[in-house]
Amino acid sequence: MTRHPVVELTSEASWNLIEDKFTPYGKETLAKLVYFLEDEILPSVKLAHAQVPKDPVQRWKTVIPVIEELKVKARKLGLWNLFLSKTHYPEHGVPLTNVEYAVMAEILGRGGHIASEAVNCSAPDTGNMEVIARYGSPEQQKKWLVPLLNGQIRSAFSMTERFVSSSDARNIKTSIKREGDEIVINGHKWWISGAGDPRTKLHLVMGKSDPDNANVYQQQSVVIVPADAPGVKIIRPMEIFGYDDAPEGHCEVIYENVRVPVSNLVLGWGRGFEIIQGRLGPGRIHHCMRSIGAASQALDLMIQRVTDPTRKTFDKFLYQHGTVVAEIARSRAEIESARLLVLSAALQIDKQRAKGALKEIGIAKFVVPAMACRVVDRAMQAYGAEGLSQDQELASMFAQLRTLRLADGPDEVHIQQVGQRELKRAPGLHKRAAELKQKEFAVLSKARL
């Protein structure tokens, strides 16, 4: 029996665990993705970076040529919009489950942003497409979703605010008001991923439309804002450890008296929290899936480095020094454990959508990126100074992964939420403990002890 090619990039044990959950179409698509990664994406990564101009103005006006070429090839192979399940979005989705996509996203994680964009599975577009597919009106879907699904445009999700503790979304101050047949938006956002891309045509903006509502979870709304609307001002790209991630970027944006039609309101007034919960759940788990792939790529690089005969020191391979072997073992164990977390969360989403998988998503969100950061850090240490430089992908990889410990909610928020969920089990645990004591007493009494 021929082994599936994914085994070489994941593990035989994890594949045996989930193989029966893959349809023939899923297995075939996964195999094509593995070959596409190895034959087309990974050989193009350095070229893609080289095609981003150094000029501080031109780098924000560039559409990277090799990525556009990869997108054409991917679409011909049917490797397109893999994240959008037909089960939940029958009109727009593809016949893949979240479990199937979880493995595919791990494979894409080995190629960084370039791999995901090549198959139209990039954040923040994935989350935005799900929002419009799930909550958007037919008019909104026709105008915005279809071009996004076709990879013709890109988008930004505008939630995080400067001068505000945005980890508690109730603190958001951006004003969204209705004036006649228009909605007026005023606010100051930052870390808005995708806002710098010349292909970005819309921002999904969250703000307060009813700040006096007694229900704090009904004070917010989400509005579609065209990127070229008067009053939308891109202030600057934010840098992460010196990386600006051009041309996509993570920008500071001011909305000053921006006016859009009332028809640009998504779902309804006061439905903002409902929308972001529906959006962030899948988005968080997609990040975790890709993080495992990045960690696996880093471990592979580390193993290559420490077994390279040209890198011997004191007449020994690097793996023959100190605790290198132990660090490799820890990395493998942590990757395998994290993968099981992600697969269980993906399976739960398939069964109960994101709302029914909040615990599993929350655990994965604070465990997986931190794990990936540790694995990449070990690989950087094995490479020495080169591991921190632009000559290796590890430094950039670490910057992206470290960001995920804050993006979509910091670790502390998810830890708190998971902990509070666990504490809700206390009454049931006390009840079971009391029942057990009664049973113990009965057994002891019968034995006359």
Side-chain angles (χ1 to χ4, degrees):
M1 185 176 179
T2 305
R3 291 202 316 174
H4 195 284
V6 77
V7 171
E8 296 299 324
L9 299 182
T10 56
S11 78
E12 187 169 7
S14 64
W15 177 242
N16 288 338
L17 185 68
I18 59 172
E19 182 179 7
D20 63 351
K21 299 188 182 302
F22 272 65
T23 64
Y25 172 81
K27 291 180 182 178
E28 179 186 356
T29 303
L30 178 60
K32 287 195 291 185
L33 184 64
V34 170
Y35 295 132
F36 188 63
L37 174 85
E38 295 185 325
D39 297 338
E40 300 285 354
I41 294 175
L42 293 181
S44 302
V45 170
K46 288 187 177 179
L47 174 59
H49 289 305
Q51 288 179 338
V52 180
K54 300 296 184 184
D55 182 273
V57 175
Q58 292 303 315
R59 63 194 285 103
W60 297 102
K61 297 180 179 179
T62 298
V63 176
I64 302 173
V66 72
I67 296 181
E68 295 304 302
E69 295 168 11
L70 289 172
K71 287 164 69 174
V72 172
K73 294 177 181 178
R75 197 161 189 181
K76 286 181 179 178
L77 290 169
L79 300 174
W80 198 253
N81 296 332
L82 304 172
F83 70 97
L84 201 64
S85 175
K86 187 177 280 291
T87 301
H88 299 313
Y89 305 100
E91 184 179 350
H92 303 291
V94 295
L96 294 171
T97 64
N98 278 286
V99 169
E100 290 171 318
Y101 179 63
V103 182
M104 295 177 192
E106 178 179 341
I107 300 306
L108 292 171
R110 287 175 169 267
H113 288 312
I114 292 166
S116 293
E117 187 176 346
V119 296
N120 212 40
C121 291
S122 291
D125 295 331
T126 50
N128 292 343
M129 284 188 266
E130 287 209 48
V131 165
I132 302 174
R134 185 173 178 183
Y135 303 114
S137 67
E139 177 189 348
Q140 291 168 351
Q141 292 182 1
K142 180 179 179 181
K143 185 174 182 178
W144 304 110
L145 178 60
V146 172
L148 282 168
L149 289 170
N150 289 334
Q152 297 166 315
I153 64 173
R154 296 208 64 187
S155 61
F157 184 66
S158 192
M159 179 176 168
T160 304
E161 295 190 2
R162 195 175 183 190
F163 312 118
V164 166
S165 297
S166 298
S167 57
D168 182 349
R170 296 174 300 179
N171 292 332
I172 285 174
K173 297 185 182 301
T174 291
S175 170
I176 293 178
K177 294 182 178 179
R178 178 168 184 168
E179 293 184 5
D181 293 332
E182 292 183 318
I183 298 172
V184 183
I185 301 103
N186 283 282
H188 194 157
K189 305 280 191 178
W190 70 344
W191 297 106
I192 307 308
S193 297
D197 197 306
R199 296 163 295 177
T200 292
K201 301 302 180 186
L202 71 147
H203 297 191
L204 282 178
V205 181
M206 181 172 175
K208 280 195 175 175
S209 54
D210 188 7
D212 299 323
N213 194 310
N215 186 337
V216 294
Y217 296 104
Q218 294 179 359
Q219 295 179 352
Q220 295 81 9
S221 296
V222 172
V223 179
I224 297 174
V225 175
D228 60 356
V232 178
K233 301 177 181 179
I234 307 297
I235 305 303
R236 58 173 175 161
M238 305 304 299
E239 295 182 358
I240 302 171
F241 297 140
Y243 295 98
D244 64 9
D245 290 338
E248 179 184 288
H250 316 278
C251 297
E252 183 175 355
V253 184
I254 290 178
Y255 302 92
E256 186 176 337
N257 293 320
V258 177
R259 292 179 175 269
V260 299
V262 171
S263 59
N264 282 28
L265 178 70
V266 180
L267 189 60
W269 295 104
R271 307 290 292 275
F273 256 90
E274 180 182 348
I275 292 169
I276 65 168
Q277 287 304 314
R279 180 192 188 279
L280 293 178
R284 286 165 178 153
I285 203 66
H286 292 170
H287 281 317
C288 291
M289 296 166 181
R290 289 189 291 267
S291 297
I292 294 170
S296 295
Q297 181 78 349
L299 178 57
D300 287 358
L301 291 170
M302 180 180 182
I303 293 171
Q304 292 173 56
R305 181 71 168 201
V306 302
T307 57
D308 184 347
T310 69
R311 295 290 176 173
K312 284 184 176 181
T313 58
F314 305 101
D315 300 319
K316 291 182 180 181
F317 285 95
L318 295 182
Y319 74 84
Q320 294 173 318
H321 292 285
T323 61
V324 173
V325 172
E327 298 286 39
I328 289 172
R330 288 190 185 95
S331 296
R332 172 52 62 200
E334 291 172 1
I335 290 169
E336 297 300 317
S337 301
R339 182 185 292 118
L340 293 177
L341 271 178
V342 169
L343 290 173
S344 68
L347 181 60
Q348 190 70 358
I349 293 173
D350 282 331
K351 290 183 176 296
Q352 298 188 27
R353 299 196 76 148
K355 191 173 182 180
L358 292 179
K359 180 184 73 173
E360 289 76 15
I361 293 172
I363 294 172
K365 180 60 178 67
F366 71 78
V367 169
V368 177
M371 173 280 298
C373 283
R374 291 193 299 272
V375 173
V376 175
D377 184 72
R378 293 168 188 148
M380 287 194 293
Q381 194 71 13
Y383 273 82
E386 184 182 343
L388 308 179
S389 76
Q390 69 270 37
D391 288 351
Q392 290 295 331
E393 60 192 285
L394 294 166
S396 174
M397 190 185 296
F398 182 86
Q400 294 169 21
L401 291 166
R402 185 61 183 84
T403 303
L404 295 184
R405 295 188 58 197
L406 292 168
D408 295 343
D411 288 358
E412 291 78 5
V413 169
H414 298 289
I415 290 169
Q416 181 75 6
Q417 290 173 345
V418 171
Q420 292 296 333
R421 283 179 174 273
E422 284 297 293
L423 287 171
K424 290 179 181 178
R425 297 172 53 227
L429 292 175
H430 286 300
K431 181 181 178 182
R432 287 172 58 191
E435 292 172 349
L436 176 58
K437 284 186 177 181
Q438 289 180 347
K439 293 174 182 177
E440 286 175 341
F441 181 76
V443 170
L444 291 169
S445 297
K446 187 175 181 180
R448 296 181 179 177
L449 294 179

